[in-house]
Amino acid sequence: MNMLHAFLVAPFADYVFMQRALFGSLLLCISACPVGVFLMLRRMSLTGDAMSHAILPGAATGFLLYGLQIIPMTIGGLIAGMVVALGSGLVSRLTSQREDASLAAFYLISLALGVMIISLRGSSVDLMHVLFGTVLALNDDALFLITLITVVTIVALGIFWRALVAECMDPLFLRSVSRLGTPVHFVFLALVVLNLVGGFQALGTLLSVGLMMLPAAGARFWVNRVAPLCALAIGFGMISCIAGLLLSYHIALPSGPAIVLTAGAIYLASIIVAPRGLIRSRNANRHHRAA
């Protein structure tokens, strides 16, 4: 019992930095995992990855001007993400190019621009900080920002829930019966950018999308309905954060990658043992053939 307490509870009970990391990462799960579910249902999973790169030049500009200060880097990341989201959306609507192609072009430009901006002033350590984050160094400003993003996301999802679900199922039908189709699309992209900016504070630009998408992808093997899917994704995300932080504490792993790899392990396990996973699917096919 003492060993179990020392392994599971003591790191969070004894160290303030672990408590801050746990609080911030759990808030991110509540906010980002449902957004990841809607990205997946809309077949936009890779959009999250593209948008996580898109915020880099804005965050890098904030870093170039003010150093590792949360507010300038956050504002810069929001502006850059919104520019890429709106720009790619407008290009796809005003030209014959599809949105995935225009988004790919915008995010590649953003990624190269962000790395170049950081290289003008910073070192490789600064670049690693921006790309991979420092969840164990969250301060009051970062926690306040993550809390604010979580509240905004929950309120927005509550207001636009039915429209978001309808757009996942049949976007053309939504646009034919309601004027909310296009506005909801851009509201959703704004939520994606907001949550990636919040995740950037803890996990960096490259790993923030991992906490958004991997729990959602794993939960998809267990349930079908949207609300339970969001709840299960949040649960998988929280387990990933707790386990990842414990692993990083006990065996000296980088905390951000440990969290994302734990989420990846849950995803791989879901592929195998979930009701819609490989084992159940193969058994169902055998029974069907035998019948």
Side-chain angles (χ1 to χ4, degrees):
M1 190 69 177
N2 288 333
M3 290 183 62
L4 195 62
H5 180 275
F7 186 83
L8 297 177
V9 180
F12 300 117
D14 296 342
Y15 298 100
V16 174
F17 72 90
M18 289 290 288
Q19 295 169 10
R20 289 174 176 271
L22 180 64
F23 180 66
S25 59
L26 293 182
L27 280 177
L28 283 174
C29 293
I30 296 172
S31 180
C33 291
V35 174
V37 167
F38 281 105
L39 274 173
M40 179 184 62
L41 293 178
R42 293 157 66 102
R43 296 178 176 85
M44 295 173 62
S45 299
L46 291 178
T47 300
D49 183 54
M51 294 305 301
S52 70
H53 295 81
I55 68 175
L56 183 58
T61 301
F63 165 76
L64 185 66
L65 297 176
Y66 299 98
L68 292 171
Q69 299 294 320
I70 289 175
I71 294 178
M73 293 178 70
T74 297
I75 294 174
L78 280 172
I79 293 173
M82 292 301 181
V83 167
V84 170
L86 293 174
S88 60
L90 288 174
V91 167
S92 67
R93 281 163 174 76
L94 298 177
T95 70
S96 60
Q97 190 171 61
R98 293 179 58 181
E99 188 169 11
D100 59 338
S102 60
L103 183 60
F106 272 85
Y107 105 78
L108 288 170
I109 295 169
S110 296
L111 178 61
L113 182 60
V115 173
M116 185 185 69
I117 291 172
I118 296 174
S119 301
L120 290 176
R121 175 178 171 179
S123 64
S124 59
V125 174
D126 296 321
L127 180 61
M128 293 292 286
H129 174 88
V130 173
L131 293 179
F132 299 106
T134 51
V135 67
L136 295 180
L138 293 177
N139 56 24
D140 290 339
D141 291 337
L143 290 177
F144 175 78
L145 173 69
I146 293 171
T147 302
L148 182 61
I149 289 173
T150 301
V151 172
V152 170
T153 301
I154 292 172
V155 171
L157 289 176
I159 294 173
F160 296 104
W161 178 267
R162 293 182 65 183
L164 286 169
V165 173
E167 192 178 29
C168 290
M169 305 307 169
D170 193 340
L172 294 178
F173 173 76
L174 177 64
R175 292 175 187 175
S176 67
V177 300
S178 173
R179 297 179 180 178
L180 288 176
T182 299
V184 162
H185 179 72
F186 285 107
V187 167
F188 178 70
L189 288 179
L191 290 179
V192 174
V193 173
L194 271 176
N195 281 275
L196 289 173
V197 169
F200 154 76
Q201 305 297 335
L203 302 174
T205 59
L206 296 185
L207 296 180
S208 57
V209 71
L211 188 60
M212 180 180 288
M213 294 308 308
L214 283 171
R220 191 69 176 92
F221 288 100
W222 295 88
V223 293
N224 286 322
R225 296 178 59 192
V226 179
L229 189 56
C230 290
L232 186 58
I234 292 172
F236 282 168
M238 289 182 170
I239 293 171
S240 302
C241 289
I242 295 170
L245 288 172
L246 288 172
L247 288 173
S248 71
Y249 175 83
H250 288 293
I251 57 179
L253 294 175
S255 52
I259 290 173
V260 176
L261 284 174
T262 304
I266 294 174
Y267 169 72
L268 294 175
S270 298
I271 291 176
I272 298 172
V273 303
R276 302 178 64 191
L278 293 175
I279 294 177
R280 300 281 182 88
S281 297
R282 292 185 66 180
N283 289 339
N285 287 336
R286 287 176 182 175
H287 288 307
H288 179 72
R289 290 172 184 173

